Amino acid sequence: MTDIFPKPELDRRTLLRRAAAVGLLATPAVGMLSACVGSSDEGTQEQATGTKSADNPLGIDPKAGVEIVIFNGGLGTDYATKVDTPLFNKKWPEAKVTYSQTEEISTVIQPRINGGNPPDMINNSGSKLMDFGAIVKAGQAADLTDLFAAPSLDIQGKTVADTLVPGAIEQGSYDGKPFAVNYSYTVFGLWYNAALFKKNSWTPPTTWAEFTALCDKMKAAGVVPFGYAGANASYYMVRAILTSAGKIGTEQVLKDIDNLKEGAWTNDAIKQAAEAWAGIGKNYINKTFLGLRHTEVQLQQNQDKVGFYPCGSWLENEQAKDTPSGFEYAIAAYPSVTAADKLPATAINAAAGEIYFAAAKGKNPQGGKEYLRTMLSKEAALEFTKLTKSLTVVAGASDGQTISPGLTSANDAVTKAGKDIFVGYLFDTWYKKLDDESRAAANDLMFKDYDAAKFCERMEKASQAVAKDSAVTKFTRS
């Protein structure tokens, strides 16, 4: 069997992708698969099947085992072992779930995919995320159309698709077909300690002038105004820059980037956003952060040594064990860069992230899909939110629940944004070489040269190199 991943493993925390988006989720990575792969039938092992019925819409074998692999990162793994698997076995008591977790998905899973023996359901996330575009291209991810068309496990009269937030299926789709469940719904923005702000009578900024003025106050108080980890979290900064660009010029600016449109990275909105953030890097970042990892900078924020931290709403749960009593996570939308921004200051980037997929060539791909259907039940989604302090793509699953300060703040931000919520960008999961370059370029912009024009030109060159590379499978969004 031809290797799906013949080059060195990817290295990416997710996300958001990611986005995330996302999850998404997750630094050096390899480009899109260029080697030929076998047909979808090559090396496929015998697969479990069953009879479709109203009670078994995906036609699983009720006695066949299901193997799942979960990334152990910011969300932990308790949701899989304490919620999803028990719920799955409540309905399918004879189907044994074989569970394992890892912090290095590509290291563990890529050899199994190359060898034709993948697990049935995989959480593709973390610092060594696999190139999902390559997986789709190689026919290794199962088409999830039947999953989304299946009835919800616990919401009467609705299909799985009917129960999800807008855009959830789109974010896991390639050329119109869904291949992934982006499960965790992430809100991105500037995270801060609300208790520290109250103590100092600081107010979250809505304009760039207010932002820099507050940064000056923080600096005078001995607090590093803004920080992120250059060693492994530079994509947090990429998202900050591009979120600002999207607010300046609308999400079309980011769609043009995803579509590899010529001139997309030299658009005035990107230039203005990069220039504004370069000023923050030049004046308000601790330069030693370039060599630190995400948890090291996040810990400094927990110690009130860092004011603002750009991240997604998984942050509160990721730092739970290090967050001192009295620290109150809260999120602010990125402030308007100009008075002429086309989206208001309250606009936010919020998207589904944290990729889960069923392996097309696993022993039980339909069982993998059924496990995903369990995850997308309202009961499972609510328990996930309780355990992880993260929302899911199951709409309204946590309505009426008492939740943590950070998640409450994220919910408030979503409410304030109203219709001005945008998905962001997808190139980071589509084109790994471009993702790599954006991370390196963001670090240079923020820690070294502070040159917005250089950033834009560098990214434009990288984008057009991908656009002209016939070995790279292209994706588009409208």
Side-chain angles (χ1 to χ4, degrees), residues 41-90:
D41 294 329
E42 184 186 75
T44 301
Q45 57 194 324
E46 185 176 348
Q47 295 181 325
T49 59
T51 302
K52 289 186 179 182
S53 66
D55 191 52
N56 185 9
L58 296 176
I60 77 165
D61 179 344
K63 295 183 179 180
V66 180
E67 183 185 1
I68 66 168
V69 177
I70 302 295
F71 168 66
N72 185 7
L75 298 174
T77 61
D78 281 355
Y79 67 91
T81 58
K82 296 181 179 179
V83 179
D84 299 334
T85 295
L87 284 175
F88 180 89
N89 282 140
K90 183 178 180 180

mmCIF file of all heavy atoms in Angstrom, residues 41-90:
data_model
loop_
_atom_site.group_PDB
_atom_site.id
_atom_site.type_symbol
_atom_site.label_atom_id
_atom_site.label_comp_id
_atom_site.label_asym_id
_atom_site.label_seq_id
_atom_site.Cartn_x
_atom_site.Cartn_y
_atom_site.Cartn_z
ATOM 1 N N ASP A 41 -10.302 1.021 -2.698
ATOM 2 C CA ASP A 41 -10.449 -0.398 -2.383
ATOM 3 C C ASP A 41 -9.121 -1.058 -2.022
ATOM 4 O O ASP A 41 -9.093 -2.177 -1.535
ATOM 5 C CB ASP A 41 -11.058 -1.141 -3.578
ATOM 6 C CG ASP A 41 -12.486 -0.697 -3.851
ATOM 7 O OD1 ASP A 41 -13.167 -0.336 -2.883
ATOM 8 O OD2 ASP A 41 -12.906 -0.708 -5.019
ATOM 9 N N GLU A 42 -8.005 -0.372 -2.315
ATOM 10 C CA GLU A 42 -6.706 -0.991 -2.113
ATOM 11 C C GLU A 42 -6.430 -1.220 -0.637
ATOM 12 O O GLU A 42 -6.441 -0.307 0.166
ATOM 13 C CB GLU A 42 -5.619 -0.109 -2.710
ATOM 14 C CG GLU A 42 -4.232 -0.740 -2.611
ATOM 15 C CD GLU A 42 -3.161 0.220 -3.090
ATOM 16 O OE1 GLU A 42 -2.840 1.154 -2.344
ATOM 17 O OE2 GLU A 42 -2.662 0.039 -4.205
ATOM 18 N N GLY A 43 -6.211 -2.459 -0.263
ATOM 19 C CA GLY A 43 -5.818 -2.769 1.104
ATOM 20 C C GLY A 43 -6.924 -2.664 2.125
ATOM 21 O O GLY A 43 -6.679 -2.722 3.305
ATOM 22 N N THR A 44 -8.181 -2.500 1.689
ATOM 23 C CA THR A 44 -9.269 -2.365 2.643
ATOM 24 C C THR A 44 -9.535 -3.698 3.328
ATOM 25 O O THR A 44 -9.713 -4.721 2.675
ATOM 26 C CB THR A 44 -10.546 -1.883 1.946
ATOM 27 O OG1 THR A 44 -10.290 -0.634 1.319
ATOM 28 C CG2 THR A 44 -11.676 -1.710 2.946
ATOM 29 N N GLN A 45 -9.563 -3.685 4.672
ATOM 30 C CA GLN A 45 -9.813 -4.911 5.411
ATOM 31 C C GLN A 45 -11.314 -5.214 5.426
ATOM 32 O O GLN A 45 -12.136 -4.378 5.068
ATOM 33 C CB GLN A 45 -9.281 -4.766 6.826
ATOM 34 C CG GLN A 45 -9.867 -3.593 7.595
ATOM 35 C CD GLN A 45 -9.077 -3.281 8.841
ATOM 36 O OE1 GLN A 45 -8.571 -4.155 9.503
ATOM 37 N NE2 GLN A 45 -8.971 -2.004 9.168
ATOM 38 N N GLU A 46 -11.668 -6.425 5.819
ATOM 39 C CA GLU A 46 -13.081 -6.786 5.928
ATOM 40 C C GLU A 46 -13.737 -5.889 6.963
ATOM 41 O O GLU A 46 -13.202 -5.670 8.048
ATOM 42 C CB GLU A 46 -13.209 -8.248 6.342
ATOM 43 C CG GLU A 46 -14.643 -8.737 6.357
ATOM 44 C CD GLU A 46 -14.751 -10.209 6.684
ATOM 45 O OE1 GLU A 46 -13.701 -10.899 6.664
ATOM 46 O OE2 GLU A 46 -15.875 -10.665 6.963
ATOM 47 N N GLN A 47 -14.902 -5.353 6.605
ATOM 48 C CA GLN A 47 -15.546 -4.370 7.468
ATOM 49 C C GLN A 47 -16.876 -4.872 8.009
ATOM 50 O O GLN A 47 -17.618 -5.593 7.328
ATOM 51 C CB GLN A 47 -15.753 -3.059 6.700
ATOM 52 C CG GLN A 47 -14.430 -2.404 6.311
ATOM 53 C CD GLN A 47 -14.614 -1.093 5.583
ATOM 54 O OE1 GLN A 47 -15.562 -0.920 4.815
ATOM 55 N NE2 GLN A 47 -13.706 -0.148 5.832
ATOM 56 N N ALA A 48 -17.172 -4.464 9.242
ATOM 57 C CA ALA A 48 -18.424 -4.858 9.888
ATOM 58 C C ALA A 48 -19.593 -4.118 9.265
ATOM 59 O O ALA A 48 -19.514 -2.915 8.995
ATOM 60 C CB ALA A 48 -18.346 -4.546 11.384
ATOM 61 N N THR A 49 -20.674 -4.806 9.028
ATOM 62 C CA THR A 49 -21.897 -4.190 8.513
ATOM 63 C C THR A 49 -23.098 -4.794 9.213
ATOM 64 O O THR A 49 -23.031 -5.888 9.766
ATOM 65 C CB THR A 49 -22.049 -4.397 6.991
ATOM 66 O OG1 THR A 49 -22.066 -5.808 6.716
ATOM 67 C CG2 THR A 49 -20.914 -3.733 6.227
ATOM 68 N N GLY A 50 -24.207 -4.084 9.166
ATOM 69 C CA GLY A 50 -25.450 -4.566 9.755
ATOM 70 C C GLY A 50 -26.620 -4.176 8.885
ATOM 71 O O GLY A 50 -26.444 -3.691 7.760
ATOM 72 N N THR A 51 -27.797 -4.354 9.417
ATOM 73 C CA THR A 51 -29.019 -4.056 8.668
ATOM 74 C C THR A 51 -29.572 -2.707 9.107
ATOM 75 O O THR A 51 -29.794 -2.476 10.301
ATOM 76 C CB THR A 51 -30.074 -5.149 8.912
ATOM 77 O OG1 THR A 51 -29.527 -6.416 8.532
ATOM 78 C CG2 THR A 51 -31.328 -4.871 8.088
ATOM 79 N N LYS A 52 -29.819 -1.855 8.144
ATOM 80 C CA LYS A 52 -30.379 -0.547 8.454
ATOM 81 C C LYS A 52 -31.835 -0.683 8.882
ATOM 82 O O LYS A 52 -32.594 -1.489 8.339
ATOM 83 C CB LYS A 52 -30.281 0.381 7.243
ATOM 84 C CG LYS A 52 -28.875 0.825 6.916
ATOM 85 C CD LYS A 52 -28.876 1.860 5.803
ATOM 86 C CE LYS A 52 -27.457 2.329 5.495
ATOM 87 N NZ LYS A 52 -27.435 3.363 4.440
ATOM 88 N N SER A 53 -32.206 0.136 9.860
ATOM 89 C CA SER A 53 -33.590 0.165 10.340
ATOM 90 C C SER A 53 -33.827 1.510 10.999
ATOM 91 O O SER A 53 -32.910 2.323 11.138
ATOM 92 C CB SER A 53 -33.829 -0.963 11.343
ATOM 93 O OG SER A 53 -33.053 -0.745 12.522
ATOM 94 N N ALA A 54 -35.056 1.732 11.432
ATOM 95 C CA ALA A 54 -35.357 2.989 12.118
ATOM 96 C C ALA A 54 -34.523 3.137 13.374
ATOM 97 O O ALA A 54 -34.108 4.243 13.749
ATOM 98 C CB ALA A 54 -36.840 3.048 12.461
ATOM 99 N N ASP A 55 -34.254 2.014 14.049
ATOM 100 C CA ASP A 55 -33.467 2.045 15.285
ATOM 101 C C ASP A 55 -31.968 1.972 15.005
ATOM 102 O O ASP A 55 -31.164 2.233 15.894
ATOM 103 C CB ASP A 55 -33.880 0.872 16.191
ATOM 104 C CG ASP A 55 -33.294 1.011 17.584
ATOM 105 O OD1 ASP A 55 -33.477 2.087 18.201
ATOM 106 O OD2 ASP A 55 -32.645 0.056 18.051
ATOM 107 N N ASN A 56 -31.611 1.636 13.781
ATOM 108 C CA ASN A 56 -30.204 1.472 13.404
ATOM 109 C C ASN A 56 -29.990 2.127 12.038
ATOM 110 O O ASN A 56 -29.708 1.459 11.043
ATOM 111 C CB ASN A 56 -29.851 -0.019 13.366
ATOM 112 C CG ASN A 56 -28.381 -0.281 13.095
ATOM 113 O OD1 ASN A 56 -27.557 0.632 13.095
ATOM 114 N ND2 ASN A 56 -28.040 -1.545 12.847
ATOM 115 N N PRO A 57 -30.136 3.447 11.975
ATOM 116 C CA PRO A 57 -30.133 4.138 10.675
ATOM 117 C C PRO A 57 -28.811 4.058 9.916
ATOM 118 O O PRO A 57 -28.787 4.213 8.697
ATOM 119 C CB PRO A 57 -30.461 5.589 11.046
ATOM 120 C CG PRO A 57 -30.033 5.715 12.475
ATOM 121 C CD PRO A 57 -30.310 4.377 13.083
ATOM 122 N N LEU A 58 -27.709 3.817 10.618
ATOM 123 C CA LEU A 58 -26.417 3.730 9.948
ATOM 124 C C LEU A 58 -26.041 2.287 9.614
ATOM 125 O O LEU A 58 -24.989 2.041 9.025
ATOM 126 C CB LEU A 58 -25.328 4.374 10.817
ATOM 127 C CG LEU A 58 -25.510 5.876 11.060
ATOM 128 C CD1 LEU A 58 -24.433 6.399 11.999
ATOM 129 C CD2 LEU A 58 -25.487 6.645 9.756
ATOM 130 N N GLY A 59 -26.895 1.367 9.982
ATOM 131 C CA GLY A 59 -26.660 -0.018 9.624
ATOM 132 C C GLY A 59 -25.408 -0.611 10.248
ATOM 133 O O GLY A 59 -24.627 -1.277 9.573
ATOM 134 N N ILE A 60 -25.217 -0.398 11.547
ATOM 135 C CA ILE A 60 -24.030 -0.960 12.194
ATOM 136 C C ILE A 60 -24.284 -2.410 12.603
ATOM 137 O O ILE A 60 -25.429 -2.841 12.768
ATOM 138 C CB ILE A 60 -23.594 -0.135 13.415
ATOM 139 C CG1 ILE A 60 -24.501 -0.410 14.631
ATOM 140 C CG2 ILE A 60 -23.550 1.340 13.105
ATOM 141 C CD1 ILE A 60 -23.927 0.069 15.942
ATOM 142 N N ASP A 61 -23.221 -3.154 12.765
ATOM 143 C CA ASP A 61 -23.297 -4.485 13.365
ATOM 144 C C ASP A 61 -23.327 -4.268 14.869
ATOM 145 O O ASP A 61 -22.345 -3.780 15.452
ATOM 146 C CB ASP A 61 -22.070 -5.308 12.966
ATOM 147 C CG ASP A 61 -22.059 -6.700 13.579
ATOM 148 O OD1 ASP A 61 -22.815 -6.945 14.545
ATOM 149 O OD2 ASP A 61 -21.265 -7.542 13.120
ATOM 150 N N PRO A 62 -24.436 -4.598 15.549
ATOM 151 C CA PRO A 62 -24.551 -4.285 16.986
ATOM 152 C C PRO A 62 -23.586 -5.042 17.877
ATOM 153 O O PRO A 62 -23.445 -4.703 19.053
ATOM 154 C CB PRO A 62 -26.006 -4.665 17.298
ATOM 155 C CG PRO A 62 -26.391 -5.640 16.248
ATOM 156 C CD PRO A 62 -25.637 -5.238 15.018
ATOM 157 N N LYS A 63 -22.895 -6.038 17.310
ATOM 158 C CA LYS A 63 -21.949 -6.804 18.120
ATOM 159 C C LYS A 63 -20.492 -6.512 17.761
ATOM 160 O O LYS A 63 -19.579 -7.041 18.409
ATOM 161 C CB LYS A 63 -22.220 -8.295 17.954
ATOM 162 C CG LYS A 63 -23.575 -8.731 18.491
ATOM 163 C CD LYS A 63 -23.756 -10.237 18.370
ATOM 164 C CE LYS A 63 -25.117 -10.664 18.926
ATOM 165 N NZ LYS A 63 -25.297 -12.140 18.821
ATOM 166 N N ALA A 64 -20.287 -5.698 16.753
ATOM 167 C CA ALA A 64 -18.918 -5.408 16.310
ATOM 168 C C ALA A 64 -18.265 -4.355 17.194
ATOM 169 O O ALA A 64 -18.894 -3.362 17.574
ATOM 170 C CB ALA A 64 -18.922 -4.937 14.860
ATOM 171 N N GLY A 65 -17.010 -4.555 17.505
ATOM 172 C CA GLY A 65 -16.278 -3.595 18.319
ATOM 173 C C GLY A 65 -15.991 -2.312 17.566
ATOM 174 O O GLY A 65 -15.979 -2.279 16.328
ATOM 175 N N VAL A 66 -15.766 -1.254 18.318
ATOM 176 C CA VAL A 66 -15.428 0.053 17.753
ATOM 177 C C VAL A 66 -14.162 0.548 18.442
ATOM 178 O O VAL A 66 -14.113 0.613 19.672
ATOM 179 C CB VAL A 66 -16.562 1.083 17.962
ATOM 180 C CG1 VAL A 66 -16.174 2.429 17.369
ATOM 181 C CG2 VAL A 66 -17.867 0.586 17.352
ATOM 182 N N GLU A 67 -13.162 0.908 17.653
ATOM 183 C CA GLU A 67 -11.932 1.437 18.225
ATOM 184 C C GLU A 67 -11.879 2.947 18.034
ATOM 185 O O GLU A 67 -12.050 3.444 16.921
ATOM 186 C CB GLU A 67 -10.692 0.804 17.593
ATOM 187 C CG GLU A 67 -9.409 1.302 18.256
ATOM 188 C CD GLU A 67 -8.135 0.798 17.609
ATOM 189 O OE1 GLU A 67 -8.218 0.065 16.604
ATOM 190 O OE2 GLU A 67 -7.038 1.170 18.105
ATOM 191 N N ILE A 68 -11.625 3.667 19.113
ATOM 192 C CA ILE A 68 -11.525 5.122 19.046
ATOM 193 C C ILE A 68 -10.186 5.569 19.625
ATOM 194 O O ILE A 68 -9.645 4.940 20.529
ATOM 195 C CB ILE A 68 -12.682 5.819 19.798
ATOM 196 C CG1 ILE A 68 -12.589 5.545 21.316
ATOM 197 C CG2 ILE A 68 -14.036 5.359 19.270
ATOM 198 C CD1 ILE A 68 -13.496 6.413 22.151
ATOM 199 N N VAL A 69 -9.658 6.651 19.083
ATOM 200 C CA VAL A 69 -8.436 7.265 19.600
ATOM 201 C C VAL A 69 -8.717 8.747 19.815
ATOM 202 O O VAL A 69 -9.150 9.447 18.893
ATOM 203 C CB VAL A 69 -7.247 7.075 18.643
ATOM 204 C CG1 VAL A 69 -6.012 7.793 19.189
ATOM 205 C CG2 VAL A 69 -6.941 5.597 18.454
ATOM 206 N N ILE A 70 -8.465 9.223 21.025
ATOM 207 C CA ILE A 70 -8.777 10.594 21.412
ATOM 208 C C ILE A 70 -7.490 11.349 21.727
ATOM 209 O O ILE A 70 -6.600 10.822 22.407
ATOM 210 C CB ILE A 70 -9.692 10.613 22.654
ATOM 211 C CG1 ILE A 70 -10.994 9.838 22.387
ATOM 212 C CG2 ILE A 70 -9.999 12.048 23.097
ATOM 213 C CD1 ILE A 70 -11.880 10.445 21.338
ATOM 214 N N PHE A 71 -7.394 12.578 21.246
ATOM 215 C CA PHE A 71 -6.263 13.438 21.585
ATOM 216 C C PHE A 71 -6.400 13.925 23.023
ATOM 217 O O PHE A 71 -7.453 14.432 23.428
ATOM 218 C CB PHE A 71 -6.200 14.634 20.637
ATOM 219 C CG PHE A 71 -5.247 15.707 21.097
ATOM 220 C CD1 PHE A 71 -3.887 15.463 21.158
ATOM 221 C CD2 PHE A 71 -5.724 16.954 21.494
ATOM 222 C CE1 PHE A 71 -3.007 16.450 21.611
ATOM 223 C CE2 PHE A 71 -4.849 17.944 21.933
ATOM 224 C CZ PHE A 71 -3.488 17.685 21.986
ATOM 225 N N ASN A 72 -5.344 13.790 23.799
ATOM 226 C CA ASN A 72 -5.336 14.249 25.181
ATOM 227 C C ASN A 72 -4.668 15.612 25.246
ATOM 228 O O ASN A 72 -3.444 15.726 25.280
ATOM 229 C CB ASN A 72 -4.591 13.247 26.072
ATOM 230 C CG ASN A 72 -4.664 13.622 27.543
ATOM 231 O OD1 ASN A 72 -5.378 14.550 27.918
ATOM 232 N ND2 ASN A 72 -3.941 12.904 28.375
ATOM 233 N N GLY A 73 -5.476 16.659 25.218
ATOM 234 C CA GLY A 73 -4.962 18.025 25.244
ATOM 235 C C GLY A 73 -5.807 18.904 26.133
ATOM 236 O O GLY A 73 -6.202 18.514 27.231
ATOM 237 N N GLY A 74 -6.116 20.099 25.643
ATOM 238 C CA GLY A 74 -6.842 21.076 26.445
ATOM 239 C C GLY A 74 -8.219 20.623 26.885
ATOM 240 O O GLY A 74 -8.724 21.074 27.913
ATOM 241 N N LEU A 75 -8.843 19.731 26.126
ATOM 242 C CA LEU A 75 -10.186 19.276 26.470
ATOM 243 C C LEU A 75 -10.176 18.034 27.352
ATOM 244 O O LEU A 75 -11.227 17.594 27.824
ATOM 245 C CB LEU A 75 -10.989 18.989 25.193
ATOM 246 C CG LEU A 75 -11.215 20.189 24.279
ATOM 247 C CD1 LEU A 75 -11.887 19.745 22.989
ATOM 248 C CD2 LEU A 75 -12.055 21.256 24.973
ATOM 249 N N GLY A 76 -8.978 17.452 27.554
ATOM 250 C CA GLY A 76 -8.910 16.227 28.322
ATOM 251 C C GLY A 76 -9.536 15.061 27.570
ATOM 252 O O GLY A 76 -9.813 15.142 26.375
ATOM 253 N N THR A 77 -9.800 13.975 28.280
ATOM 254 C CA THR A 77 -10.394 12.787 27.658
ATOM 255 C C THR A 77 -11.579 12.232 28.451
ATOM 256 O O THR A 77 -12.186 11.249 28.038
ATOM 257 C CB THR A 77 -9.341 11.668 27.510
ATOM 258 O OG1 THR A 77 -8.860 11.300 28.810
ATOM 259 C CG2 THR A 77 -8.173 12.125 26.653
ATOM 260 N N ASP A 78 -11.916 12.847 29.570
ATOM 261 C CA ASP A 78 -13.008 12.338 30.397
ATOM 262 C C ASP A 78 -14.332 12.282 29.641
ATOM 263 O O ASP A 78 -15.165 11.407 29.908
ATOM 264 C CB ASP A 78 -13.184 13.206 31.649
ATOM 265 C CG ASP A 78 -12.163 12.883 32.728
ATOM 266 O OD1 ASP A 78 -11.389 11.926 32.541
ATOM 267 O OD2 ASP A 78 -12.133 13.597 33.744
ATOM 268 N N TYR A 79 -14.542 13.215 28.723
ATOM 269 C CA TYR A 79 -15.806 13.213 27.989
ATOM 270 C C TYR A 79 -15.981 11.917 27.192
ATOM 271 O O TYR A 79 -17.104 11.431 27.017
ATOM 272 C CB TYR A 79 -15.907 14.437 27.072
ATOM 273 C CG TYR A 79 -14.928 14.453 25.925
ATOM 274 C CD1 TYR A 79 -15.255 13.897 24.696
ATOM 275 C CD2 TYR A 79 -13.673 15.035 26.064
ATOM 276 C CE1 TYR A 79 -14.341 13.906 23.636
ATOM 277 C CE2 TYR A 79 -12.758 15.049 25.021
ATOM 278 C CZ TYR A 79 -13.107 14.487 23.814
ATOM 279 O OH TYR A 79 -12.208 14.499 22.765
ATOM 280 N N ALA A 80 -14.867 11.349 26.721
ATOM 281 C CA ALA A 80 -14.942 10.098 25.965
ATOM 282 C C ALA A 80 -15.172 8.906 26.877
ATOM 283 O O ALA A 80 -16.013 8.044 26.599
ATOM 284 C CB ALA A 80 -13.665 9.898 25.146
ATOM 285 N N THR A 81 -14.425 8.856 27.977
ATOM 286 C CA THR A 81 -14.494 7.681 28.851
ATOM 287 C C THR A 81 -15.693 7.697 29.804
ATOM 288 O O THR A 81 -16.239 6.642 30.127
ATOM 289 C CB THR A 81 -13.205 7.557 29.677
ATOM 290 O OG1 THR A 81 -13.006 8.757 30.445
ATOM 291 C CG2 THR A 81 -12.010 7.345 28.770
ATOM 292 N N LYS A 82 -16.095 8.896 30.239
ATOM 293 C CA LYS A 82 -17.158 8.990 31.237
ATOM 294 C C LYS A 82 -18.531 9.328 30.662
ATOM 295 O O LYS A 82 -19.546 9.173 31.349
ATOM 296 C CB LYS A 82 -16.782 10.039 32.292
ATOM 297 C CG LYS A 82 -15.540 9.683 33.094
ATOM 298 C CD LYS A 82 -15.228 10.748 34.141
ATOM 299 C CE LYS A 82 -13.995 10.378 34.962
ATOM 300 N NZ LYS A 82 -13.670 11.415 35.970
ATOM 301 N N VAL A 83 -18.561 9.818 29.414
ATOM 302 C CA VAL A 83 -19.834 10.238 28.828
ATOM 303 C C VAL A 83 -20.149 9.471 27.533
ATOM 304 O O VAL A 83 -21.106 8.699 27.475
ATOM 305 C CB VAL A 83 -19.833 11.759 28.543
ATOM 306 C CG1 VAL A 83 -21.160 12.172 27.900
ATOM 307 C CG2 VAL A 83 -19.597 12.540 29.820
ATOM 308 N N ASP A 84 -19.327 9.673 26.506
ATOM 309 C CA ASP A 84 -19.670 9.162 25.185
ATOM 310 C C ASP A 84 -19.689 7.632 25.125
ATOM 311 O O ASP A 84 -20.620 7.038 24.565
ATOM 312 C CB ASP A 84 -18.697 9.706 24.143
ATOM 313 C CG ASP A 84 -18.736 11.220 24.044
ATOM 314 O OD1 ASP A 84 -19.793 11.800 24.375
ATOM 315 O OD2 ASP A 84 -17.724 11.823 23.652
ATOM 316 N N THR A 85 -18.663 7.007 25.677
ATOM 317 C CA THR A 85 -18.615 5.543 25.616
ATOM 318 C C THR A 85 -19.747 4.903 26.416
ATOM 319 O O THR A 85 -20.413 3.986 25.913
ATOM 320 C CB THR A 85 -17.242 5.035 26.065
ATOM 321 O OG1 THR A 85 -16.250 5.492 25.129
ATOM 322 C CG2 THR A 85 -17.206 3.518 26.123
ATOM 323 N N PRO A 86 -20.022 5.349 27.657
ATOM 324 C CA PRO A 86 -21.178 4.785 28.370
ATOM 325 C C PRO A 86 -22.497 4.991 27.628
ATOM 326 O O PRO A 86 -23.355 4.099 27.619
ATOM 327 C CB PRO A 86 -21.163 5.537 29.706
ATOM 328 C CG PRO A 86 -19.731 5.890 29.911
ATOM 329 C CD PRO A 86 -19.213 6.216 28.544
ATOM 330 N N LEU A 87 -22.680 6.166 27.003
ATOM 331 C CA LEU A 87 -23.908 6.402 26.243
ATOM 332 C C LEU A 87 -23.988 5.489 25.026
ATOM 333 O O LEU A 87 -25.059 4.972 24.686
ATOM 334 C CB LEU A 87 -23.983 7.870 25.807
ATOM 335 C CG LEU A 87 -24.359 8.881 26.883
ATOM 336 C CD1 LEU A 87 -24.278 10.303 26.324
ATOM 337 C CD2 LEU A 87 -25.773 8.612 27.407
ATOM 338 N N PHE A 88 -22.854 5.314 24.357
ATOM 339 C CA PHE A 88 -22.814 4.419 23.203
ATOM 340 C C PHE A 88 -23.187 2.994 23.630
ATOM 341 O O PHE A 88 -24.006 2.325 22.990
ATOM 342 C CB PHE A 88 -21.426 4.440 22.570
ATOM 343 C CG PHE A 88 -21.282 3.553 21.358
ATOM 344 C CD1 PHE A 88 -21.576 4.031 20.089
ATOM 345 C CD2 PHE A 88 -20.845 2.239 21.488
ATOM 346 C CE1 PHE A 88 -21.440 3.222 18.967
ATOM 347 C CE2 PHE A 88 -20.706 1.409 20.384
ATOM 348 C CZ PHE A 88 -21.013 1.911 19.115
ATOM 349 N N ASN A 89 -22.601 2.546 24.729
ATOM 350 C CA ASN A 89 -22.861 1.172 25.187
ATOM 351 C C ASN A 89 -24.244 0.999 25.804
ATOM 352 O O ASN A 89 -24.739 -0.136 25.901
ATOM 353 C CB ASN A 89 -21.788 0.724 26.175
ATOM 354 C CG ASN A 89 -20.495 0.318 25.486
ATOM 355 O OD1 ASN A 89 -19.403 0.611 25.953
ATOM 356 N ND2 ASN A 89 -20.609 -0.362 24.343
ATOM 357 N N LYS A 90 -24.862 2.080 26.210
ATOM 358 C CA LYS A 90 -26.245 1.999 26.693
ATOM 359 C C LYS A 90 -27.162 1.558 25.562
ATOM 360 O O LYS A 90 -28.096 0.778 25.769
ATOM 361 C CB LYS A 90 -26.684 3.359 27.249
ATOM 362 C CG LYS A 90 -28.082 3.371 27.837
ATOM 363 C CD LYS A 90 -28.422 4.748 28.400
ATOM 364 C CE LYS A 90 -29.826 4.780 28.989
ATOM 365 N NZ LYS A 90 -30.158 6.133 29.530
#
